[in-house]
Amino acid sequence: MKMKKKDIFFQCLENMADTVVQAADYFSQHVTNLQDVLEFANEMKKFESQCDTYTHTIITELNKTFITPIERDDIMDLATSMDDVMDGLEATASRFYMYQLGQPDEYIVQFAEILRQSAYEIQKAIHLLSQKKLLAIREYTIRLNDLENQGDELLRICIKDLFATVSDPILLIKKKEIYERLETTTDTCEDVANMLESIIMRNS
């Protein structure tokens, strides 16, 4: 029996979610012990470029497809928000190279783990969306909201510690930007959750 071909939009969204997971895994694994910062930044750029390819495919298909499996704006918003997650990870990695930062501290490692977990929640939710199991998605959107709250709390802790322990103003500026960029990336993960919640409300 021939299997039904998966809708191109759901396939691209799944591919994006899978790529975000791969990138977050790579980021989390390598940020704990950065041996080669340039290689780290370059690898993250490859993941980001792959996500851009999927986004471009979605835009191209939307321009030539009359009937879509869910609202056109929902497809585009989901793709854009996942691309924002990827952009946040890649931008952080590039700054490790640009700023010539040494080994990341415990706070950066904790942010990396929050983002890794968030990526997996996004992946599970997007795969459920493809299967039209809308109500089951809510478990993962709740988890994403919780992880974003953890990111907020971690930012408060690390900024307070940064100003208490770092006297070099240049290093302080560099690390503060890294912390804030990582926290903003947890916000973009929550944006994905909010998009999914809107889709659930409109379609269930």
Side-chain angles (χ1 to χ4, degrees), residues 7-201:
D7 177 89
I8 184 66
F9 299 109
F10 284 150
Q11 186 62 67
C12 282
L13 290 171
E14 283 189 7
N15 289 344
M16 286 188 80
D18 294 346
T19 305
V20 169
V21 163
Q22 292 165 17
D25 265 341
Y26 181 89
F27 187 94
S28 180
Q29 288 164 11
H30 289 78
V31 83
T32 56
N33 185 25
L34 277 178
Q35 299 293 332
D36 187 333
V37 183
L38 178 58
E39 182 185 1
F40 177 65
N42 286 341
E43 284 300 312
M44 290 302 298
K45 184 64 182 174
K46 289 177 188 176
F47 289 123
E48 192 260 343
S49 296
Q50 186 62 61
C51 252
D52 285 345
T53 300
Y54 296 132
T55 303
H56 179 71
T57 300
I58 286 172
I59 293 168
T60 302
E61 291 296 325
L62 282 174
N63 285 331
K64 65 182 186 184
T65 303
F66 183 65
I67 298 174
T68 55
I70 56 175
E71 292 289 333
R72 308 170 76 83
D73 287 348
D74 289 339
I75 294 170
M76 197 63 240
D77 288 345
L78 262 185
T80 302
S81 57
M82 280 196 285
D83 194 51
D84 288 344
V85 175
M86 179 63 76
D87 287 345
L89 286 165
E90 188 277 326
T92 306
S94 71
R95 274 156 182 76
F96 280 114
Y97 174 68
M98 289 190 293
Y99 296 163
Q100 291 297 294
L101 285 175
Q103 286 303 313
D105 58 40
E106 60 177 307
Y107 300 120
I108 292 170
V109 172
Q110 288 177 51
F111 268 121
E113 178 57 20
I114 289 171
L115 287 165
R116 188 189 70 81
Q117 290 181 37
S118 297
Y120 275 96
E121 302 304 325
I122 289 170
Q123 183 188 46
K124 291 169 193 168
I126 294 296
H127 280 262
L128 283 172
L129 178 66
S130 293
Q131 298 165 40
K132 300 288 184 73
K133 295 180 179 177
L134 298 182
L135 295 179
I137 293 172
R138 192 151 275 147
E139 173 187 346
Y140 304 105
T141 61
I142 291 169
R143 178 74 178 134
L144 281 163
N145 287 323
D146 178 56
L147 287 163
E148 191 274 335
N149 288 335
Q150 290 179 36
D152 285 345
E153 181 60 24
L154 183 56
L155 181 66
R156 284 190 284 270
I157 293 167
C158 65
I159 294 293
K160 181 175 182 291
D161 185 60
L162 180 66
F163 280 90
T165 59
V166 175
S167 56
D168 178 351
I170 302 300
L171 179 60
L172 190 145
I173 290 167
K174 290 177 180 178
K175 295 191 82 168
K176 184 172 180 287
E177 188 193 342
I178 294 287
Y179 294 153
E180 289 175 341
R181 192 167 287 276
L182 286 165
E183 191 277 329
T184 299
T185 308
T186 68
D187 290 342
T188 62
C189 292
E190 187 180 43
D191 289 342
V192 178
N194 292 338
M195 303 283 179
L196 288 165
E197 283 285 350
S198 295
I199 292 169
I200 292 168
M201 284 191 290

